[in-house]
Amino acid sequence: FSEQCWVCRALLANVCEGGKAAGNGKDGKGKGCGFGKGAGWGWGPMGMGMGWGGWGMDPWMMGKAAMWMKGGGKDKGGGWGEDQSHTFSSNQRVTTYAITVDASSAIPAQGMPTDAPALAYEKGVDVFGSGAHILGELVGDIATEVLITHDADWETYPEVGAAVKAASGEENCFAIAMCPSAGVWGIGVANGWKGREASCKVALALAICRANAPAAKSLGNRYPEFTALLRQQGVKGGKAAGGGGGGASYGGMSGDTPPVHMISVPADSVIVAGGLGLPAEGPAVMHPGKHMKEYFSNAHSILSELVEDVAAEVVFEDDPDAKALPEVAAAWAEAGGEENCLCIAKCTSLGCWGIGLAPGWKGRESAAKMALAIAIAQNMGKLEELSANPNYPEFGYMLSKNGIGDGQPKKKRKV
């Protein structure tokens, strides 16, 4: 038996007592969801009832041992039912615990419920790289809407640390993310600050979507890695993008796309001569504005499929006035692009770079991520694979319209 093996934990879960229903609903009757005895948490899909009941044991939520059992509440309502067995690939599993604190805790005193999801950060799991973008789409301005407290030493919320220990079986550093306007909170578990920050944002996004089904649907298919997590937890998220028959349909998309140009810089450019081993050629993508924002909504997710840790391996250098990279501005103009502010994204570990252009910083960053993803995918021979990915129909359509990938190549002028 190994504590680190999820199969062992799942087997253990099936022989452990799940806990009796507490039943906060009327007469404590009906199917629903709830707390009880158990080492782990799991969220299942919507069922009948309004109250809380017992828990299964498996923090991986594998099978019925980890779903919500009986609970309180009478008649039909918002409880949680049976597991639908939505799973991740083996390297994308997310360890999730359901945590509850006593009503006397400082958490409920701030208007929060006593329960929240806790997610254990793991490097290489895609959803943690998208956490800030997902949460941003749900709450708007994270800086003003979300309060994040890192409590590595259990000094502020020791009761949360104790609850996480009881669920996971070991002491862990954690961070809490609260959203007062949504009235929910989430917990991120990790040794490092970055891991806690990333996982608590995903946990809060999960809590928001659990409490507000329309919020989950509003994300559409832009974050397939988060949709998989939602479905594993029994929350209905956006539909996966689907194509029609016969060739690349790109989800039925049509019309204009953001311009993409392959540009070259001279040998004395700081890009080439900077000693980083970067090539002279790279893609440049312009973000035209809000009317085409859907083309960039998956930029981070696409880049994360190619780069293990975007935060650690990608460097962004903003140059809105083209003072540091005038040769790039000249190459963009020579290729037929409109004058605009620029940003370069570099990944020296993979020897690639890309240029994003837009009036505002957020637009430049998204466009730079998209450009870098194109460069890396080309370099790795994965451009066709990503272009055909049904989760990113806008990516394939944009490349096709610009003569990149499976489209007919358009000749681009180079300097």
Side-chain angles (χ1 to χ4, degrees):
F1 177 81
S2 169
E3 292 182 345
Q4 305 303 318
C5 175
W6 65 269
V7 176
C8 295
R9 294 202 298 273
L11 291 173
L12 177 63
N14 286 306
V15 298
C16 293
E17 181 180 358
K20 298 180 179 179
N24 287 333
K26 185 177 180 181
D27 301 326
K29 297 177 181 179
K31 295 180 181 179
C33 51
F35 293 87
K37 297 178 182 179
W41 281 54
W43 292 353
M46 298 296 289
M48 299 176 65
M50 293 296 292
W52 300 88
W55 289 88
M57 296 289 293
D58 178 20
W60 284 101
M61 297 156 286
M62 296 295 292
K64 293 185 177 181
M67 68 185 182
W68 293 84
M69 304 296 187
K70 297 179 180 179
K74 188 177 181 180
D75 302 321
K76 295 181 179 180
W80 298 81
E82 293 185 353
D83 175 31
Q84 291 182 344
S85 300
H86 294 290
T87 58
F88 292 98
S89 59
S90 59
N91 66 337
Q92 292 296 309
R93 294 185 181 276
V94 179
T95 305
T96 308
Y97 306 100
I99 302 301
T100 185
V101 295
D102 191 79
S104 61
S105 164
I107 302 266
Q110 299 177 63
M112 297 292 118
T114 56
D115 64 294
L119 272 61
Y121 174 79
E122 191 167 340
K123 186 176 181 180
V125 176
D126 294 344
V127 71
F128 295 120
S130 306
H133 297 272
I134 296 167
L135 186 58
E137 289 208 27
L138 293 171
V139 304
D141 188 352
I142 295 177
T144 58
E145 292 290 326
V146 177
L147 173 63
I148 297 178
T149 304
H150 286 262
D151 198 7
D153 299 319
W154 299 18
E155 293 178 352
T156 307
Y157 300 106
E159 70 277 16
V160 175
V164 172
K165 180 180 179 181
S168 65
E170 57 186 26
E171 292 188 3
N172 287 289
C173 302
F174 66 91
I176 290 176
M178 295 184 186
C179 182
S181 61
V184 293
W185 57 294
I187 306 161
V189 179
N191 289 329
W193 187 94
K194 286 186 177 180
R196 293 194 297 272
E197 185 86 358
S199 54
C200 77
K201 287 177 179 178
V202 178
L204 178 58
L206 182 58
I208 291 172
C209 289
R210 175 200 164 198
N212 184 359
K217 292 181 180 179
S218 73
L219 294 173
N221 67 344
R222 294 188 294 280
Y223 303 98
E225 65 279 18
F226 186 64
T227 299
L229 176 61
L230 290 179
R231 289 178 178 175
Q232 179 187 335
Q233 300 296 320
V235 181
K236 292 183 178 180
K239 296 181 179 179
S249 67
Y250 304 118
M253 301 187 74
S254 62
D256 294 334
T257 70
V260 181
H261 295 291
M262 297 302 297
I263 63 173
S264 287
V265 295
D268 60 354
S269 166
V270 293
I271 296 175
V272 182
L276 299 177
L278 296 175
E281 186 175 82
V285 180
M286 190 182 82
H287 192 316
K290 291 183 179 180
H291 64 291
M292 289 192 182
K293 65 180 182 179
E294 70 271 15
Y295 286 98
F296 300 93
S297 60
N298 281 324
H300 186 84
S301 298
I302 295 170
L303 184 57
S304 295
E305 295 219 14
L306 302 165
V307 181
E308 183 176 351
D309 189 341
V310 173
E313 297 185 55
V314 177
V315 175
F316 297 91
E317 295 178 6
D318 197 28
D319 188 20
D321 299 321
K323 292 181 178 179
L325 298 168
E327 70 279 14
V328 170
W332 172 255
E334 184 68 18
E338 297 178 5
E339 183 178 352
N340 216 319
C341 302
L342 65 89
C343 169
I344 184 171
K346 296 184 288 188
C347 181
T348 56
S349 62
L350 296 176
C352 294
W353 57 274
I355 301 295
L357 298 100
W361 158 243
K362 287 187 177 180
R364 290 195 296 274
E365 183 187 33
S366 296
K369 286 181 178 180
M370 185 65 75
L372 181 59
I374 294 170
I376 295 173
Q378 281 184 319
N379 196 40
M380 297 174 69
K382 292 186 176 182
L383 199 59
E384 287 188 18
E385 177 185 336
L386 277 177
S387 296
N389 190 324
N391 291 316
Y392 312 124
E394 72 287 351
F395 181 73
Y397 180 67
M398 179 177 67
L399 295 187
S400 178
K401 288 286 286 185
N402 282 278
I404 301 172
D406 64 357
Q408 294 299 316
K410 296 179 182 178
K411 293 183 179 181
K412 303 294 180 181
R413 290 173 288 176
K414 302 177 183 178
V415 296

